[in-house]
Amino acid sequence: MKKQSIDSISARPKPWYDPRIRALFFQVVTLGVVFWAGWVLIDNTLSNMQSRGISTGFGFLDETAGFGIIMHLVPFDATMSYGRTFWVGLTNTLLVSAMGVVAATIIGFLVGVARLSSNWLVAKIALVYIEVIRNIPLLLQIFFWYFAVLASLPAPRQSVEVGGAFFLNNRGLYLPGPVTQDGFGLVWGALLVAIAAVFGLRSWTKKRQKASGQLFPTVKVSIAILVLLPLIAFFLAGQPLEWDLPALKGFNFGGGISLIPELAALWVALSLYTASFIAEIVRSGILAVSKGQTEASKALGLPNGLTLRLIIIPQAMRVIIPPLTSQYLNLVKNSSLATAIGYPDLVSVFMGTTLNQTGQAVEVVAITMGVYLTISLLISLLMNLYNRAVEIKER
Amino acid sequence: MMQHSESVETQAENKPGIIRVESMHKWYGDFHVLKDLNLAVDQGERIVICGPSGSGKSTFIRCINRLEEHQQGKIIVDDVELTDDVRHIDSVRREVGMVFQHFNLFPHLTVLENCCLSPIWVRKLPRREAEAAAMEYLERVKIPDQAAKYPGQLSGGQQQRVAIARALCMKPKIMLFDEPTSALDPEMIKEVLDVMIELAGSGMTMICVTHEMGFAKTVADRVIFMDEGEIVEEAPPTEFFSNPREPRTQKFLQQILQH
Amino acid sequence: MTESTIKPPKKNLGPVKWMRTHLFSSWYNSLLTLVVGYLLLTSVGPLVSWVFLDATFEGSGPGDCLGEGACWLFVSQRLNFFIYGFYPDELQWRVDIMFGLLALAFVPQFIEGFPARKWLGIFGMSGLPIIGYVLIPGGILGLEEVESSKWGGLMLTLILAYIGILASLPIGILLAIGRRSDMPIIRGLCVVFIEVWRAVPLITVLFMASVMLPLFLPEGVSFEKLVRALIGITLWQSAYMAEVIRGGLQAIPRGQYEAANALGLGYWRKMGLVILPQALKLVIPGIVNTFISLFKDTTLVLIIGLFDILGAVQSTIADPAWQNVAIEGYVFVAFCFWVFCFGISRYSQNLERKLDTGHKT
């Protein structure tokens, strides 16, 4: 009697009581539902497309686009293919993203540090900036800069002018473009030499410190080398650089470098908006370094400047970098708001015009989303590598 | 400053009054944390400060290297008075080492880098020399083999010993210990106390805030009992433990020795 | 304590001393203060006179806006459109009731110790959407039907954000649990879902919802534009929600899972009775923060042709009857959003601080 009951307990459970089998069953069912739903969607889509006469496949990428794009970094005209419009859009997206990342980082770090300033006025202004900008939708800010600020600028003939070289009007911002002359190679060469010299200097100061303990103002000297050497080369070579000044031609400006108003508005709005988030990240990163660290550093006799440089910043950067990258990602994604003011970014050109003309929604949406997914995965990957490199070792 | 450190070399062994605190007061807002403290510590003396929590003992020793500011009275460390003058504060901190309750090691630097940081940047020692000195001190606290590890990879007791070595690397004249064993598991307390006892044997001037009464008995020249921001009693350990005068001291000793 | 009659030496906290420590502590601080102060003074004056002193507040039409200042008349004249869109005037009481109920359910959440606060919140998350579903579109219970194409303005913005959050919460919870599941296939599906939606911009999702959704559905079935936008927003938002909730689940110590297991609770009981109540409470500030960003992001629907508050203002600015009112319009919308978002973010910061201290003790 007793033996039997023990046997029945120790025997394998009925399959539907075995957690492993349950889990397997559950997963198979889920997978089945997902596949079934996918199949239904694909089936519906195919029959819908057939009845609407939409073709499938990626053949459309080779067809002639037939529309112009106001700004392109790669050569483009209306006779080129839809595939080419993709590259134009992608490069424009990457351009405004890169410009935004640089500007937002600079503004964000400045404002974040200003927020912790001992100067009451500066700290309060930084606070107001952060709280105002980040609580207003980005799209509204883009509209504000584009429709309210840039549109109220004067026409090209009445441009705001600085020294006959910089012009600002409702068609955009015009800057002098540098044109390098023959001897400019010397300047590039000098720059390379300067960079090499800085590396040399760094290893020399390290060695010298090891041997004698003397510290050397590496940073200041490095900056001096980097600036002075190319400058000397520049004058030695007879100033081989000319500026192509923008000038009024007909109704608009030609020559120089121009920034179309769509790009300018998007850039300003994206940078200011993202900077307000970065500022908070920087502030909380610095505050995240515990008070004990500062105390220990002070107790060891390190003065404030060195405490900041050797103890606080290296630790704060580890806290700052991960959320900072996700802000960069957000900026790249937010650059797609370009479509609302007609800056020809990927979404505007490809998902907008190209999709409208070809009607091949599935392919176009898939490609566009694929691009953003790739950018995002790439940045996450770099992020993880970086994190692993600087990770604070613990047990 | 140079002049100052030269004079140290030629000093007599037991310089009287290396730390002098004279009618010192401190407030947090309106709260009177330290009331009229007076203390003179000679070179080579070992002082243990004890008292119930919130009695102001940690605040007191943190005033000695100006991690906290006092508002009234004088603190003179090695002939330098602590005022708002940054140069005074810097020179005092150079001569005074401190060990914290929560170690406060720098988690982004290895053990060796933690130890070398200040000698290199403040004392301006060559790295090789600084590293050699650091290894010597790490050997003295018995963890030379952990030098390449990060603080997070060590046990609490090991971390605290690194913290002691880090402070010693600055070759301080005075060591302050702020409850160095309070955050440790019982089995690790002894390894830290052993290092401290060894240090006391070498003639270092030490001020320790601690509840380790055994340590006080074996090492201290004087025990100071603080309560509610005041120094209540001050006596050699034998007298302090066997024959406390003040009722507050008696009550405190009863509570602490029951365990 | 009683004998401590000595007071700290009085720090002279007069205005001069205050300015010296806070504004002029060093030469570069003084310079900074002077430069910033000068810029501030020169910009605040014109700003104040534009907003208040020279502004036009009253009048009957565009012709009255003659002054140098802002034309707030534009906002007050078109306010009805900015709030209700094309919702018929005589039926706007239905929207007003919803506004009132929303306020009743959620405003008390900001007030410490308001009676029945919790129940009002639960009502806001469960009963209120049903009432709204009956009241706003109508067509049943003898209420006259109002097509969704007539909805607009602030009302539409609130509908999008409210439904977006409400619908994404349960999906987000399931995804978060799925992502922490032991079952590799379930986990994989959840990870892919979450990461894909989080990687793409909302605009692409809205485009997808408006152009691809009709292709996915069997012939004869179609959704209104608003519903398509809502589906897109919900899917996208649920991925963000899942990540917030996952953060809460991770913060629950292992011991809680073990204790629940030791009590013999099954998986769903363990999750529903022990883990989720704690985790959700922890992530309320996070949920509030995602709500704020969703609230701001709802403006993107104007790109696919819905008239939210920004869309309504944007279309009115183009009205030739009114000249140069773009800045006024944008300032008005910005102010509306700012009041909402700033207020809510303050609330979530307070909550965070409270939860923070609660954990340390």
Side-chain angles (χ1 to χ4, degrees):
Chain A
M1 182 70 191
K2 201 175 180 184
K3 188 168 185 291
Q4 193 186 9
S5 73
I6 288 172
D7 269 353
S8 72
I9 288 168
S10 62
R12 284 180 61 86
K14 295 256 165 54
W16 48 90
Y17 289 132
D18 185 333
R20 267 171 305 172
I21 292 178
R22 272 191 186 184
L24 192 67
F25 173 75
F26 192 55
Q27 294 185 71
V28 167
V29 169
T30 313
L31 208 58
V33 169
V34 169
F35 275 122
W36 173 78
W39 184 79
V40 168
L41 287 184
I42 290 167
D43 186 55
N44 282 339
T45 309
L46 287 177
S47 65
N48 276 324
M49 284 172 51
Q50 208 164 21
S51 66
R52 292 180 201 188
I54 303 172
S55 53
T56 53
F58 291 94
F60 73 97
L61 288 175
D62 297 325
E63 289 166 27
T64 308
F67 61 90
I69 299 176
I70 55 169
M71 184 189 140
H72 44 81
L73 298 175
V74 289
F76 181 79
D77 62 60
T79 61
M80 289 182 175
S81 67
Y82 286 122
R84 192 71 174 182
T85 67
F86 169 80
W87 289 111
V88 172
L90 180 60
T91 46
N92 283 344
T93 289
L94 293 179
L95 173 73
V96 72
S97 304
M99 287 166 65
V101 162
V102 172
T105 309
I106 295 171
I107 303 171
F109 271 77
L110 285 179
V111 176
V113 172
R115 184 86 168 70
L116 296 170
S117 164
S118 61
N119 188 316
W120 182 86
L121 194 62
V122 170
K124 283 291 173 263
I125 288 177
L127 173 73
V128 169
Y129 168 81
I130 294 170
E131 290 298 352
V132 167
I133 297 292
R134 70 175 185 162
N135 283 315
I136 294 174
L138 175 60
L139 185 59
L140 176 55
Q141 296 188 35
I142 294 174
F143 279 177
F144 175 82
W145 290 106
Y146 186 65
F147 291 115
V149 177
L150 290 181
S152 67
L153 288 172
R157 282 180 186 284
Q158 286 83 41
S159 294
V160 181
E161 181 188 327
V162 181
F166 299 85
F167 298 90
L168 182 66
N169 58 53
N170 60 11
R171 298 283 187 85
L173 176 66
Y174 297 83
L175 316 164
V179 183
T180 56
Q181 309 291 313
D182 276 346
F184 203 76
L186 193 65
V187 179
W188 289 122
L191 189 65
L192 283 180
V193 171
I195 292 172
V198 165
F199 275 102
L201 181 75
R202 273 189 53 182
S203 70
W204 175 74
T205 48
K206 251 188 196 158
K207 241 179 243 158
R208 194 172 82 136
Q209 206 289 328
K210 248 182 190 168
S212 71
Q214 277 165 300
L215 297 173
F216 192 79
T218 320
V219 178
K220 282 178 203 157
V221 175
S222 300
I223 291 172
I225 291 176
L226 283 177
V227 173
L228 285 179
L229 222 54
L231 212 63
I232 293 168
F234 178 72
F235 283 106
L236 280 182
Q239 307 178 29
L241 185 73
E242 280 183 4
W243 295 94
D244 178 19
L245 298 183
L248 196 60
K249 286 169 190 156
F251 290 108
N252 206 348
F253 280 85
I257 297 172
S258 67
L259 205 63
I260 58 171
E262 289 80 8
L263 175 59
L266 189 64
W267 183 36
V268 171
L270 273 177
S271 309
L272 291 180
Y273 184 73
T274 313
S276 71
F277 290 90
I278 293 180
E280 274 301 274
I281 290 170
V282 169
R283 183 181 79 100
S284 55
I286 292 174
L287 290 182
V289 180
S290 76
K291 210 168 151 244
Q293 293 290 310
T294 327
E295 281 182 352
S297 166
K298 281 183 179 170
L300 283 170
L302 292 167
N304 284 339
L306 281 179
T307 302
L308 196 69
R309 188 169 133 203
L310 299 174
I311 306 301
I312 297 180
I313 290 177
Q315 291 187 60
M317 282 318 280
R318 290 174 165 80
V319 183
I320 290 171
I321 297 282
L324 187 66
T325 4
S326 79
Q327 282 307 321
Y328 289 162
L329 263 177
N330 280 346
L331 189 144
V332 174
K333 286 188 276 173
N334 283 335
S335 73
S336 61
L337 295 187
T339 179
I341 55 169
Y343 172 74
D345 82 319
L346 181 65
V347 170
S348 168
V349 169
F350 198 60
M351 218 176 187
T353 320
T354 298
L355 190 152
N356 275 340
Q357 292 199 1
T358 61
Q360 292 198 283
V362 179
E363 292 86 345
V364 171
V365 169
I367 292 175
T368 314
M369 285 189 159
V371 167
Y372 284 103
L373 197 59
T374 313
I375 294 176
S376 156
L377 289 178
L378 222 58
I379 292 184
S380 312
L381 186 74
L382 290 177
M383 190 60 251
N384 287 343
L385 289 178
Y386 170 83
N387 260 347
R388 204 160 303 158
V390 303
E391 195 177 32
I392 286 176
K393 307 281 186 308
E394 273 175 52
R395 281 207 276 192
Chain B
M1 228 106 63
M2 277 316 288
Q3 189 191 8
H4 179 72
S5 57
E6 272 167 27
S7 67
V8 169
E9 309 289 321
T10 56
Q11 261 161 14
E13 259 295 285
N14 284 338
K15 187 188 170 203
I18 192 166
I19 301 174
R20 274 177 295 163
V21 179
E22 289 164 17
S23 45
M24 189 264 274
H25 290 262
K26 176 172 175 58
W27 287 264
Y28 282 129
D30 269 345
F31 179 58
H32 202 172
V33 259
L34 298 178
K35 299 166 193 164
D36 195 27
L37 299 188
N38 288 288
L39 180 69
V41 181
D42 293 340
Q43 195 166 19
E45 246 195 315
R46 296 166 296 258
I47 311 282
V48 165
I49 304 179
C50 60
S53 61
S55 58
K57 46 196 192 316
S58 284
T59 313
F60 178 32
I61 72 162
R62 288 156 60 88
C63 282
I64 294 173
N65 66 350
R66 195 86 170 171
L67 288 180
E68 305 274 358
E69 274 175 48
H70 61 283
Q71 277 106 14
Q72 212 178 308
K74 275 184 181 174
I75 300 178
I76 300 164
V77 181
D78 201 17
D79 296 335
V80 179
E81 184 179 353
L82 282 169
T83 57
D84 285 328
D85 193 326
V86 182
R87 289 167 305 168
H88 288 193
I89 298 173
D90 281 347
S91 73
V92 165
R93 284 180 180 159
R94 238 167 276 188
E95 307 302 335
V96 179
M98 184 161 202
V99 176
F100 298 85
Q101 179 178 1
H102 295 287
F103 329 137
N104 292 349
L105 292 176
F106 305 126
H108 61 301
L109 303 176
T110 63
V111 165
L112 190 62
E113 284 166 343
N114 261 284
C115 293
C116 293
L117 186 79
S118 200
I120 288 176
W121 289 94
V122 180
R123 286 247 185 264
K124 312 228 182 318
L125 286 184
R127 178 176 290 274
R128 206 175 289 147
E129 232 171 82
E131 282 179 355
M135 285 311 294
E136 220 168 88
Y137 284 111
L138 286 174
E139 247 154 70
R140 216 168 133 190
V141 300
K142 303 182 184 66
I143 33 175
D145 45 329
Q146 313 283 7
K149 286 195 180 164
Y150 284 88
Q153 296 169 306
L154 305 183
S155 73
Q158 289 172 322
Q159 288 194 44
Q160 193 61 298
R161 284 186 280 152
V162 172
I164 294 173
R166 180 177 73 175
L168 289 176
C169 281
M170 281 295 281
K171 304 211 162 51
K173 293 195 195 128
I174 300 160
M175 284 286 284
L176 305 176
F177 291 86
D178 185 3
E179 308 209 23
T181 53
S182 305
L184 296 176
D185 291 335
E187 75 271 19
M188 293 171 183
I189 290 178
K190 189 174 175 293
E191 63 189 55
V192 172
L193 287 181
D194 285 346
V195 170
M196 288 168 66
I197 291 168
E198 197 258 346
L199 189 63
S202 74
M204 173 69 76
T205 314
M206 288 165 76
I207 301 185
C208 311
V209 170
T210 183
H211 292 295
E212 295 299 329
M213 291 301 137
F215 174 74
K217 274 178 199 161
T218 41
V219 168
D221 296 318
R222 266 187 290 164
V223 180
I224 292 175
F225 174 68
M226 283 181 71
D227 191 21
E228 294 187 344
E230 293 169 311
I231 293 183
V232 177
E233 186 160 351
E234 192 181 329
T238 41
E239 198 182 317
F240 181 84
F241 289 108
S242 58
N243 191 12
R245 276 171 287 140
E246 301 286 329
R248 275 193 275 180
T249 319
Q250 292 162 359
K251 197 177 151 215
F252 174 74
L253 285 177
Q254 257 172 19
Q255 280 168 344
I256 209 161
L257 294 178
Q258 266 168 8
H259 298 289
Chain C
M1 287 303 124
T2 44
E3 78 257 49
S4 142
T5 46
I6 319 171
K7 284 284 162 204
K10 267 278 172 279
K11 265 195 181 165
N12 181 10
L13 277 174
V16 175
K17 175 84 183 200
W18 183 90
M19 276 166 70
R20 184 169 291 162
T21 50
H22 290 96
L23 295 174
F24 303 100
S25 57
S26 61
W27 68 267
Y28 60 85
N29 256 336
S30 309
L31 192 70
L32 211 60
T33 306
L34 289 177
V35 171
V36 172
Y38 173 76
L39 290 177
L40 208 62
L41 284 180
T42 49
S43 59
V44 163
L47 197 67
V48 169
S49 54
W50 184 81
V51 175
F52 300 106
L53 305 179
D54 297 342
T56 313
F57 290 93
E58 286 172 351
S60 52
D64 290 321
C65 276
L66 299 169
E68 290 281 290
C71 180
W72 299 122
L73 186 60
F74 162 71
V75 174
S76 58
Q77 292 253 310
R78 308 305 306 266
L79 195 60
N80 194 54
F81 181 61
F82 295 165
I83 294 178
Y84 303 100
F86 297 104
Y87 211 87
D89 285 355
E90 67 280 6
L91 300 176
Q92 282 170 6
W93 59 269
R94 285 161 36 183
V95 182
D96 292 338
I97 289 182
M98 268 314 279
F99 281 157
L101 287 175
L102 271 176
L104 179 70
F106 292 110
V107 172
Q109 308 303 321
F110 295 79
I111 303 165
E112 200 71 35
F114 193 89
R117 187 163 88 138
K118 191 175 154 198
W119 294 109
L120 285 171
I122 292 174
F123 165 71
M125 302 295 274
S126 56
L128 193 55
I130 299 170
I131 297 177
Y133 185 70
V134 173
L135 214 52
I136 301 287
I140 33 171
L141 299 176
L143 293 169
E144 195 182 322
E145 188 176 345
V146 182
E147 295 158 25
S148 69
S149 58
K150 288 188 177 164
W151 307 356
L154 180 64
M155 158 199 165
L156 187 71
T157 299
L158 285 174
I159 288 177
L160 287 166
Y162 179 50
I163 299 186
I165 279 290
L166 220 59
S168 64
L169 192 58
I171 304 178
I173 292 175
L174 285 179
L175 285 170
I177 294 177
R179 193 170 182 169
R180 284 177 61 79
S181 157
D182 299 328
M183 296 181 251
I185 292 175
I186 305 280
R187 195 171 57 227
L189 286 172
C190 289
V191 168
V192 168
F193 185 94
I194 292 171
E195 292 306 329
V196 167
W197 288 121
R198 270 162 41 95
V200 299
L202 179 57
I203 288 199
T204 61
V205 178
L206 288 173
F207 265 122
M208 189 184 122
S210 69
V211 298
M212 269 172 77
L213 215 53
L215 294 177
F216 287 158
L217 298 170
E219 262 175 285
V221 180
S222 72
F223 286 146
E224 294 156 73
K225 201 189 269 174
L226 176 63
V227 179
R228 280 182 273 163
L230 271 174
I231 292 175
I233 287 178
T234 304
L235 291 176
W236 186 75
Q237 183 66 21
S238 58
Y240 282 88
M241 197 64 99
E243 284 302 278
V244 171
I245 293 167
R246 185 166 73 111
L249 290 176
Q250 274 168 343
I252 304 298
R254 251 192 107 66
Q256 292 292 315
Y257 290 87
E258 286 168 358
N261 283 340
L263 286 173
L265 297 177
Y267 182 79
W268 291 107
R269 291 242 165 82
K270 176 173 75 184
M271 280 298 174
L273 297 175
V274 179
I275 306 301
L276 274 177
Q278 299 185 58
L280 288 179
K281 198 176 162 196
L282 278 183
V283 297
I284 289 175
I287 293 178
V288 174
N289 287 340
T290 54
F291 174 77
I292 294 174
S293 47
L294 176 64
F295 189 63
K296 288 186 289 174
D297 284 338
T298 52
T299 50
L300 302 201
V301 296
L302 78 87
I303 294 170
I304 58 164
L306 290 170
F307 283 93
D308 74 319
I309 183 167
L310 182 57
V313 170
Q314 181 72 5
S315 67
T316 331
I317 287 169
D319 184 351
W322 295 89
Q323 300 282 324
N324 295 326
V325 289
I327 296 187
E328 287 86 338
Y330 292 140
V331 169
F332 167 71
V333 182
F335 183 72
C336 293
F337 273 102
W338 187 81
V339 168
F340 266 98
C341 297
F342 181 71
I344 300 174
S345 71
R346 270 296 132 108
Y347 164 71
S348 92
Q349 279 165 19
N350 277 342
L351 210 62
E352 246 167 287
R353 217 166 295 144
K354 229 162 50 187
L355 286 173
D356 213 27
T357 49
H359 253 252
K360 271 174 196 156
T361 48

